Amino acid sequence: MTSPVVLEAKNLVKYFPTVSKGLLQRSTDSVKAVDGVSVQVRAGQTLGVVGESGCGKSTLARLLMRLLPPTSGTVLLDGADITSLTGRELRAVRAKIQMVFQDPVASLNPRHSVGQIIGTPLKFLKENSASGAKEHVQELMALVGLNPEHYNRYPHEFSGGQRQRIGIARALAVGPQVIVADEPVSALDVSIQAQVLNLMEKLQRDLGLSYVFIAHDLSVVRHIADEIIVMYLGKVVESGTPKDVYSAPSHPYTQALLSAIPLADPRAAGTHKRMVLTGDVPSPIDPPSGCRFRTRCPRAQDLCALEEPALIDRGQGHPVACHFPG
Amino acid sequence: MSELVLQVKDLKVSFSTVDGVVQAVNGISFDVRKGQTLGIVGESGSGKSVTASAIMGLINRNSADMSGSILLGGLDVLTAQEREIRALRGREAAMVFQDPMSALNPYYTVGKQIAEAYEVHHPNSSKKERQLVALDMLAKVGLPKPSECIDEYPHQFSGGMRQRIVIAIALVNNPRLLIADEPTTALDVTVQAQILELMMSLQQEFGSAIILITHDLGVVAEVADEVMVMYAGQTMESSKVQTLFDAPSHPYTRGLLGSVRSLDNSERGALHTIAGNPPSMISLPGGCPFHPRCEFAASMNGLCSSVQPTLRVLPTTGSESACHLNDDQLLSLGRGVIHD
């Protein structure tokens, strides 16, 4: 359990200024997409990031990838600060950290053959000779379970699951240590999701990869993650091992998320007590004072509006950001 | 047995495209009764949404070949005049679509959109009356402050609230059948729970029958009474919901159940998968459409690749299954053991 930390984020903050009306378009408000999130990803392990739309999980992914500059905070890759790198230096970092996207249709260029798609990162990030590239690409295709003979085919000739395999092969091309996967199976059919998850686990074992695995689906994350963080409105509300989070959820939001999952067992459907949250997620432009979950929380008290709960262990054995965990 | 609301018999729908004929729905039959919830489960391309569109009379007859019959409200939707179908839509059957963003008109207030749906079947109603109906529906689907919401536009609402509005429009004429095509797929899981709960409580109140189309077996387990499993435009299995989960009687159903990740299962072992990909709907494999992905097809001496199995009732469970395995073999699927 004590493998070294590969990727670390300290107190990451990302505010997107909103464009106001008027001549100068001066902005006074901002969307607080990620607000003070710290994570650690260990070598060969998977960090699962869970939350609903608008919780900041995709922004977090882009911050870790350095596709977005953070408003404040630092990102460390292998102990080196990559927060303010640009140009050539940033490109060198990209060879170590790669991304797999949610939509396998939109994330592949329809006018490029599979060979080009998988080969492009090699061309830009590794100074390989053109001759070795094709062989390498075909090895990668075989590695992710694609037929290497399909090197010259185009994305539309593949099914959704196969396209996601192309996306994974492209991410693997430069031999990264870390792969940030933003909802990699959400757009796939159930039977295909299982195939892709199994592939990702196999690649992790064989290549010693670290994953940041983002999902809105708690059951997917439970299957694949070693550590989990649960996010709500730009903040981490609970973190821990899958066992901590699933067997002993202590934050009311985690509890509600878990109880909202439909169980594939009609008998349990009658008996299991559901905690249905009322209302919607508040605007991230003007989040509630104190605890951000308090407007929908069944346990909220006066203290929750006054003081923001810190993400610390309150006797649960894992960190929870709630004044009244239980 | 309660009253029959919908009867679909041997429905076939195919579309001609430049690449060939797409056989989207290939001979499916089912009944829906009052107060019942039928779940239709299948992966992308299994023909479940085309079936829904066909029932609503939304498929253009000039662009598709359709045969069989769809009996709804005393009419056969496949042969009825457009004018007659328009009288059915909303009143006999109404639909809730997957994407609440694109199902609502961004230019009209939500009140106007509910009132418009009401006006179609109540042409002599007054504006005041329609306004009251819209207010009432907004309250019924659980929008806070209906009197304010009524004059707001779709973009002012969240996804879950928009889906509530779509449901209000669907139910405003008190239809006997509500077809919900992946109603919660675009929504977050906590919002999904809210919407499913709402649909079930409204079903109690309005007594509608529901066809719930989904790819999520968890959703089916929560709300359906009967389940039909579709693959490549055909029914693979049709069962009571409890039976489907206890004793799946088709290898495809078993594969689907195996691919579902259980929350109780804390082991990190490999997930059960169904090998391969769904077939092209233009060139379906011969025999059983599932045979190239089926783990049992190899031991059947080529039967599965040459003869298409027909649906038959298994006497022990009452399920219908379209598979060449014998009854005993099908019954043992749930236990994961197959006898030779």
Side-chain angles (χ1 to χ4, degrees):
Chain A
M1 280 308 283
T2 46
S3 48
V5 174
V6 183
L7 179 67
E8 184 170 13
K10 285 183 185 159
N11 211 11
L12 274 185
V13 174
K14 181 67 189 177
Y15 290 172
F16 294 101
T18 55
V19 177
S20 57
K21 293 184 182 107
L23 189 62
L24 296 173
Q25 301 205 324
R26 245 197 330 216
S27 176
T28 45
D29 291 336
S30 55
V31 174
K32 298 166 180 68
V34 170
D35 208 352
V37 171
S38 302
V39 297
Q40 286 190 337
V41 186
R42 292 179 181 277
Q45 296 205 346
T46 302
L47 172 75
V49 182
V50 181
E52 298 184 281
S53 337
C55 73
K57 56 192 192 301
S58 292
T59 305
L60 176 66
R62 280 160 178 73
L63 291 172
L64 292 175
M65 284 296 300
R66 276 299 328 278
L67 288 172
L68 285 173
T71 307
S72 71
T74 48
V75 183
L76 303 171
L77 184 66
D78 264 347
D81 190 341
I82 62 166
T83 322
S84 48
L85 297 185
T86 51
R88 193 179 295 272
E89 290 167 329
L90 183 59
R91 202 181 281 179
V93 166
R94 291 265 154 82
K96 295 185 189 168
I97 179 165
Q98 283 282 307
M99 190 154 180
V100 174
F101 298 90
Q102 172 171 4
D103 186 344
V105 181
S107 61
L108 301 178
N109 188 332
R111 288 164 178 268
H112 285 186
S113 70
V114 175
Q116 283 174 293
I117 290 171
I118 302 175
T120 302
L122 282 173
K123 206 161 76 190
F124 283 96
L125 300 179
K126 296 260 158 165
E127 274 125 47
N128 277 14
S129 63
S131 56
K134 181 172 176 181
E135 259 169 53
H136 185 59
V137 168
Q138 290 189 322
E139 277 167 31
L140 285 164
M141 289 177 73
L143 185 67
V144 297
L146 292 167
N147 184 347
E149 286 168 20
H150 295 167
Y151 180 83
N152 287 319
R153 293 203 180 178
Y154 287 85
H156 75 268
E157 298 176 78
F158 295 87
S159 69
Q162 289 172 320
R163 282 182 225 183
Q164 200 57 294
R165 288 173 194 264
I166 298 172
I168 293 172
R170 173 176 59 185
L172 290 175
V174 293
Q177 295 169 279
V178 183
I179 288 188
V180 178
D182 189 0
E183 307 237 16
V185 298
S186 306
L188 306 175
D189 278 320
V190 193
S191 72
I192 308 299
Q193 286 191 4
Q195 291 178 2
V196 172
L197 287 173
N198 284 347
L199 171 69
M200 289 185 68
E201 295 218 281
K202 179 179 171 291
L203 292 170
Q204 180 167 48
R205 276 196 309 275
D206 295 351
L207 306 174
L209 296 169
S210 305
Y211 290 140
V212 177
F213 194 101
I214 293 172
H216 64 273
D217 182 335
L218 283 147
S219 53
V220 173
V221 175
R222 161 149 213 174
H223 188 79
I224 201 164
D226 299 289
E227 287 280 330
I228 292 175
I229 60 173
V230 181
M231 290 183 69
Y232 184 80
L233 263 185
K235 290 205 176 268
V236 178
V237 295
E238 187 159 4
S239 70
T241 63
K243 201 160 160 282
D244 294 336
V245 174
Y246 289 81
S247 312
S250 304
H251 196 283
Y253 179 64
T254 317
Q255 290 165 352
L257 259 188
L258 282 172
S259 86
I261 300 172
L263 298 176
D265 178 0
R267 228 172 251 128
T271 56
H272 112 126
K273 207 165 133 253
R274 168 153 298 161
M275 183 174 154
V276 176
L277 290 177
T278 51
D280 284 313
V281 182
S283 161
I285 295 176
D286 184 21
S289 66
C291 173
R292 294 188 174 188
F293 184 61
R294 70 176 165 84
T295 51
R296 302 172 76 197
C297 181
R299 297 209 286 266
Q301 299 186 21
D302 294 345
L303 174 67
C304 302
L306 298 172
E307 193 184 313
E308 187 179 326
L311 182 67
I312 48 169
D313 188 348
R314 294 160 197 267
Q316 263 65 36
H318 62 274
V320 185
C322 179
H323 291 302
F324 308 101
Chain B
M1 282 254 191
S2 52
E3 178 194 351
L4 207 56
V5 176
L6 170 76
Q7 194 169 28
V8 176
K9 273 192 191 153
D10 198 27
L11 176 68
K12 291 184 178 166
V13 184
S14 60
F15 302 93
S16 298
T17 68
V18 284
D19 298 322
V21 175
V22 176
Q23 190 67 51
V25 177
N26 203 353
I28 61 167
S29 303
F30 60 93
D31 296 342
V32 182
R33 293 178 181 279
K34 190 167 186 287
Q36 185 199 25
T37 302
L38 170 72
I40 300 184
V41 181
E43 299 181 89
S44 332
S46 61
K48 45 195 202 306
S49 293
V50 173
T51 305
S53 303
I55 296 168
M56 293 298 294
L58 292 173
I59 294 178
N60 185 340
R61 287 177 204 166
N62 297 327
S63 65
D65 271 329
M66 295 191 277
S67 67
S69 67
I70 299 173
L71 297 177
L72 178 72
L75 277 177
D76 182 350
V77 177
L78 292 187
T79 54
Q81 303 287 320
E82 177 57 34
R83 182 175 45 81
E84 295 172 313
I85 297 176
R86 216 177 289 144
L88 292 182
R89 260 185 227 131
R91 178 155 272 180
E92 282 295 326
M95 192 150 169
V96 172
F97 297 90
Q98 172 171 354
D99 184 358
M101 317 295 156
S102 52
L104 293 169
N105 188 331
Y107 288 117
Y108 291 123
T109 63
V110 301
K112 161 92 182 149
Q113 295 185 56
I114 299 173
E116 189 183 27
Y118 184 76
E119 192 180 0
V120 173
H121 291 284
H122 301 83
N124 301 321
S125 58
S126 67
K127 200 173 174 192
K128 179 89 190 144
E129 183 189 340
R130 293 197 290 271
Q131 175 94 355
L132 286 174
V133 168
L135 273 175
D136 181 45
M137 285 311 298
L138 287 173
K140 275 194 175 128
V141 297
L143 259 75
K145 302 181 195 146
S147 51
E148 290 174 26
C149 294
I150 196 165
D151 292 321
E152 288 180 356
Y153 290 86
H155 77 267
Q156 293 171 284
F157 296 90
S158 66
M161 288 298 155
R162 280 184 234 189
Q163 197 61 298
R164 286 171 192 265
I165 294 161
V166 173
I167 292 172
I169 294 172
L171 291 180
V172 70
N173 292 301
N174 199 1
R176 279 152 40 96
L177 173 67
L178 180 69
I179 302 177
D181 188 359
E182 305 258 9
T184 57
T185 308
L187 305 174
D188 279 323
V189 60
T190 58
V191 180
Q192 164 171 292
Q194 294 173 359
I195 296 290
L196 289 178
E197 202 161 83
L198 172 73
M199 282 178 55
M200 292 305 108
S201 72
L202 291 174
Q203 181 179 33
Q204 298 272 313
E205 188 180 338
F206 288 80
S208 318
I210 294 182
I211 296 180
L212 181 79
I213 294 174
T214 178
H215 65 276
D216 188 335
L217 285 162
V219 171
V220 165
E222 298 246 327
V223 300
D225 305 312
E226 305 268 340
V227 187
M228 184 167 103
V229 180
M230 286 184 74
Y231 186 81
Q234 297 172 33
T235 307
M236 296 285 111
E237 170 170 1
S238 182
S239 299
K240 293 231 172 297
V241 66
Q242 189 66 62
T243 317
L244 185 98
F245 286 90
D246 285 350
S249 39
H250 195 284
Y252 177 60
T253 315
R254 188 176 87 153
L256 275 184
L257 288 172
S259 313
V260 174
R261 301 157 302 266
S262 159
L263 270 185
D264 311 324
N265 180 9
S266 52
E267 283 158 40
R268 271 193 63 171
L271 288 164
H272 179 83
T273 62
I274 303 174
N277 288 295
S280 153
M281 301 304 284
I282 290 175
S283 54
L284 284 176
C288 170
F290 185 60
H291 87 262
R293 301 177 73 190
C294 181
E295 53 193 308
F296 306 111
S299 60
M300 299 291 283
N301 299 321
L303 180 64
C304 299
S305 56
S306 52
V307 182
Q308 186 176 336
T310 48
L311 270 182
R312 69 172 199 278
V313 179
L314 302 179
T316 342
T317 57
S319 299
E320 288 182 77
S321 168
C323 182
H324 286 307
L325 293 177
N326 66 37
D327 290 8
D328 287 342
Q329 289 171 319
L330 288 179
L331 287 174
S332 58
L333 281 177
R335 298 194 290 276
V337 194
I338 261 306
H339 309 291
D340 288 314

